[in-house]
């Protein structure tokens, strides 16, 4: 007898899901029933939040939804933080949870792992949450989730399958897969955009994370327009080392000035979030003389003013727009070069030093995937850094801004690209949120370099308190002996000084280690 729980796994197999991240429990035994005989690999994190972050990191590199399977109650509440980060960054994540018996919903009967209202809890962060009571409802929910992932601005979707429903016999075959496609731009909108840009004397492109799969299209468009391209945090790695590229934060005064002096701003795949465009919390956003915005979500388009709003897939839009543009010389390279110089000058001495360290890391780990937590090296890179791989620079210090993201997200990224080096950048404070997940890297022998920038506390918060004339409190948690932590996890340990030369020499040692390594840089 095939059960609904087993059918769930068959649904995932049919959609080429490679991994499920989860911790089994008494409420998910029926959900696990079909896993052993499937093609899906189960990865066991040490905490459900880690499961969510691994699913997130996997999705960012693979382009496929990350899938997590958790128990009801604490499993759900533990993964909420990861779901919130994925929603903030529009990352496709499917969270499948158990649920208590249907007749106990919202009754407060003291059932094991009971939440007062599980669906209402998840609804605070999920794009959609489904409570499954029938086989048909499961089929519909799976179809809805993957259609959303394939055709709209993605994010976390939750499906709750009560364990007594998971054990019921299946009555129907798997439904046929339905093809979904992303929306195409209206030809009239493309014509309007082309007319405006052809007439523009100083155009500018702002490229966000929605462009990370469309590097060729973006480059072709930029060269046709001969204009600078500013990349946000999740857009870094696009147009590496290109004369028109400006890999600097729109929050920097120099970049705000570039935006405000441009007569037409084309915004591609960016939600224009405040942690990118108003990092310093000035409560102001850059003024745009005329803006054209392209996004998959009508809802997001309506949240901010744009003179021309286009609901479409950004890559397809770029291809169609390029065909309608005239090739006009606009001194774009000179504008970009000047903006880069001024933006770098805007950085503090400490941030300039950090960017030098990042350059040293990248020079010895070409085309690597850099995954970051909220730590000073990441803050510097988000301000100013030219990564050499599209989609290969991402972190949790924008959007929701959680700590503890780096280690598990790097593991998820490595599972998506097992033959490539992944660099995890985390502080000693953020690392302590998720240190147990290092054992997953050991279990899977993943080539992740966990680089810990150890400044013995929450340095950025301490500095902010001092600047606000507040006596720092709670900013100096003692870090563990990371050498001993690495040894306990069976992972090689390296350390070095702060100079670029020291980092380069140590990274050469990292390159000779096939599996995980912990590399501590102590301040």
């Amino acid at each position: 007898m095939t059960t609904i729980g087993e059918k769930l796994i068959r649904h995932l197999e049919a959609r080429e899901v490679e991994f499920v991240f989860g911790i089994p429990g008494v409420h998910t035994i029926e959900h696990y029933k079909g896993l052993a005989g499937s093609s899906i690999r189960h990865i066991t994190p040490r905490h459900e939040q880690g499961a969510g972050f691994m699913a997130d990191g996997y999705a960012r590199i693979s382009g496929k939804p990350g899938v997590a399977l958790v128990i009801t109650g604490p499993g759900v509440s533990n993964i909420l933080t990861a779901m919130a980060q994925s929603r903030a960054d529009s990352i496709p994540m499917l969270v499948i949870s158990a649920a208590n018996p249907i007749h106990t919903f919202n009754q407060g009967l003291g059932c094991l792992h009971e939440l007062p209202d599980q669906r209402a809890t998840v609804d605070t962060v999920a794009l959609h949450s489904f409570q499954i009571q029938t086989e048909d409802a499961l089929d519909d929910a799976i179809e809805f989730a993957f259609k959303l992932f394939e055709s709209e601005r993605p994010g976390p979707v939750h499906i709750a399958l009560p364990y007594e429903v998971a054990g019921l016999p299946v009555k129907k075959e798997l439904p046929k897969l339905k093809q979904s496609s992303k929306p195409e731009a209206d030809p009239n909108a493309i014509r309007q955009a082309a007319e405006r840009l052809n007439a523009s004397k100083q155009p500018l492109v702002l490229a966000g994370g929605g462009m990370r799969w469309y590097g060729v299209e973006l480059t072709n468009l930029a060269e046709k327009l001969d204009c600078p391209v500013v990349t946000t945090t999740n857009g870094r790695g696009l147009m590496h080392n290109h004369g028109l590229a400006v890999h600097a934060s729109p929050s920097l005064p120099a970049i705000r000035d570039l935006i405000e002096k441009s007569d037409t701003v084309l915004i591609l795949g960016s939600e224009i979030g405040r942690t990118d465009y108003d990092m310093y919390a000035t409560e102001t956003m850059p003024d745009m003389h005329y803006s054209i915005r392209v996004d998959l979500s009508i809802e997001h388009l309506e949240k901010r003013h744009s003179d021309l709003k286009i609901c479409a897939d950004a890559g397809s839009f770029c291809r169609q727009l390029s065909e309608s543009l005239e090739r006009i010389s606009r001194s774009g390279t000179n504008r970009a070069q000047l903006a880069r110089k001024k933006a770098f000058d805007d950085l503090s001495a400490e941030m300039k030093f950090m960017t030098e360290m990042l350059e040293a890391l990248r020079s010895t780990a070409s085309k690597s995937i850099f995954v970051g937590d909220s730590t000073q090296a990441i803050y510097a890179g988000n301000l100013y850094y030219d990564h050499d791989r599209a989609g290969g620079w991402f972190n949790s210090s924008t959007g929701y801004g959680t700590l503890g993201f780096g280690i598990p997200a790097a593991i998820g990224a490595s599972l998506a690209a097992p033959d490539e080096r992944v660099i995890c950048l985390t502080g000693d404070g953020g690392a302590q949120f998720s240190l147990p997940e290092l054992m997953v890297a050991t279990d899977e022998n993943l080539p992740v370099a966990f680089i810990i920038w150890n400044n013995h506390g929450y340095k950025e918060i301490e500095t902010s308190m001092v600047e606000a004339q507040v006596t720092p409190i709670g900013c100096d948690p003692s870090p563990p002996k990371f050498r001993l932590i690495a040894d306990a996890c069976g992972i090689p340990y390296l350390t070095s000084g702060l100079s670029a030369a020291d980092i380069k020499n140590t990274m050469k040692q990292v390159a000779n280690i096939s599996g995980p390594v912990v590399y501590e840089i102590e301040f």
Side-chain angles (χ1 to χ4, degrees), residues 23 58 72 75 103 188 190 243 277 293 389 414 439 461 471 505:
I23 301 174
Y58 169 83
T72 187
H103 72 273
N188 185 54
I190 293 197
Y277 291 81
R293 187 173 172 209
R389 175 182 177 140
S414 186
M439 284 304 302
I461 303 302
T471 301
N505 287 334

Side-chain angles (χ1 to χ4, degrees), residues 444-463:
E444 302 296 328
N445 194 34
L446 298 174
V448 182
F450 298 99
I451 300 179
I452 301 173
W453 300 79
N454 186 358
N455 57 18
H456 295 262
Y458 301 128
K459 181 67 175 177
E460 193 72 18
I461 303 302
E462 180 182 346
T463 299

Side-chain angles (χ1 to χ4, degrees), residues 114-137:
E114 182 179 23
L115 278 168
D117 188 336
Q118 180 165 281
R119 184 172 186 175
T121 300
V122 178
D123 272 340
T124 61
V125 293
L127 294 177
H128 297 278
S129 179
F130 298 89
Q131 294 272 23
I132 304 303
Q133 299 189 22
T134 67
E135 182 182 351
D136 286 341

Side-chain angles (χ1 to χ4, degrees), residues 418-436:
D419 298 325
E420 302 176 46
R421 175 63 71 181
V422 175
I423 309 294
C424 171
L425 297 171
T426 181
D428 57 295
Q432 292 182 72
F433 277 58
S434 50
L435 276 176

Side-chain angles (χ1 to χ4, degrees), residues 44 61 154 233-234 290 349 366 383 476 484 501 518 523:
T44 307
I61 296 303
T233 296
N234 287 323
Y290 185 95
S366 176
L383 282 173
D476 55 353
L484 299 181
V518 171
F523 289 73

Side-chain angles (χ1 to χ4, degrees), residues 95-410:
V95 175
I96 301 164
S97 79
N100 278 309
I102 295 168
H103 72 273
T104 70
F105 282 5
N106 308 333
Q107 298 298 310
L109 300 175
C111 298
L112 179 65
H113 302 328
E114 182 179 23
L115 278 168
D117 188 336
Q118 180 165 281
R119 184 172 186 175
T121 300
V122 178
D123 272 340
T124 61
V125 293
L127 294 177
H128 297 278
S129 179
F130 298 89
Q131 294 272 23
I132 304 303
Q133 299 189 22
T134 67
E135 182 182 351
D136 286 341
L138 175 65
D139 293 342
D140 292 343
I142 292 288
E143 181 184 334
F144 176 94
F146 281 87
K147 181 180 179 182
L148 183 150
F149 297 147
E150 293 164 4
S151 61
E152 300 179 33
R153 176 186 276 260
V157 174
H158 169 244
I159 295 176
L161 181 60
Y163 63 82
E164 87 273 27
V165 177
L168 294 176
V170 163
K171 298 179 181 179
K172 297 181 178 181
E173 293 295 321
L174 276 182
K176 291 183 178 180
L177 297 185
K178 297 179 180 179
Q179 297 296 319
S180 299
S181 59
K182 294 177 180 177
E184 295 281 340
D186 181 274
N188 185 54
I190 293 197
R191 179 186 58 77
Q192 287 181 264
E195 288 177 355
R196 175 73 197 190
L197 288 164
N198 281 330
S200 176
K201 294 182 178 179
Q202 287 193 309
L204 174 70
V205 174
L206 302 177
M211 287 300 296
R212 63 185 177 277
W213 307 109
Y214 304 121
V216 171
E217 290 85 350
L218 179 63
T219 302
N220 290 341
L221 177 66
E223 290 176 350
K224 199 84 176 278
L225 286 169
D226 189 23
C227 77
V229 176
V230 174
T231 56
T232 67
T233 296
N234 287 323
R236 294 294 168 81
L238 290 161
M239 297 179 63
H240 170 65
N241 205 29
H242 195 289
L244 291 172
V246 182
H247 301 292
S249 170
S251 295
L252 291 170
I255 307 305
R256 285 192 164 207
D257 184 59
L258 176 66
I259 293 170
E260 291 170 1
K261 288 182 177 177
S262 300
D263 56 13
T264 305
V265 179
L266 176 58
I267 307 162
L268 301 170
S270 172
E271 70 172 3
I272 324 180
R274 287 190 174 272
T275 49
D276 266 316
Y277 291 81
D278 186 27
M279 186 183 298
Y280 299 109
T282 64
E283 297 304 317
T284 63
M285 297 287 277
D287 289 327
M288 301 183 195
H289 180 71
Y290 185 95
S291 63
I292 303 168
R293 187 173 172 209
V294 182
D295 196 280
L296 279 172
S297 169
I298 294 175
E299 179 185 355
H300 275 269
L301 285 170
E302 295 301 327
K303 286 183 178 180
R304 299 201 183 281
H305 168 77
S306 289
D307 298 282
L308 178 57
K309 300 174 182 178
I310 302 173
C311 183
D313 171 64
S316 174
F317 170 83
C318 286
R319 287 191 293 271
Q320 294 177 71
L321 177 64
S322 292
E323 294 173 359
S324 302
L325 291 175
E326 301 169 13
R327 190 177 292 276
I328 301 173
S329 177
R330 295 183 172 95
S331 303
T333 301
N334 292 337
R335 290 174 64 207
Q337 182 179 24
L338 181 61
R340 288 193 299 268
K341 180 182 182 305
K342 288 183 175 179
F344 187 76
D345 290 343
D346 284 341
L347 301 181
S348 67
E350 184 177 29
M351 291 294 103
K352 289 178 180 177
F353 170 75
M354 289 289 183
T355 59
E356 181 184 352
M357 299 302 101
L358 291 173
E359 295 285 351
L361 282 172
R362 194 197 68 219
S363 69
T364 53
S366 176
K367 302 294 183 181
S368 293
I369 299 164
F370 280 47
V371 183
D373 218 310
S374 291
T375 189
Q376 286 183 306
I378 292 298
Y379 302 147
N382 287 349
L383 282 173
Y384 191 99
Y385 173 65
D386 182 10
H387 196 57
D388 61 355
R389 175 182 177 140
W393 170 272
F394 64 87
N395 55 78
S396 62
S397 70
T398 58
Y400 196 58
T402 183
L403 278 169
F405 174 86
I407 290 174

Side-chain angles (χ1 to χ4, degrees), residues 461 465 470-476:
I461 303 302
M465 284 184 165
V470 174
T471 301
I473 294 177
C475 298
D476 55 353

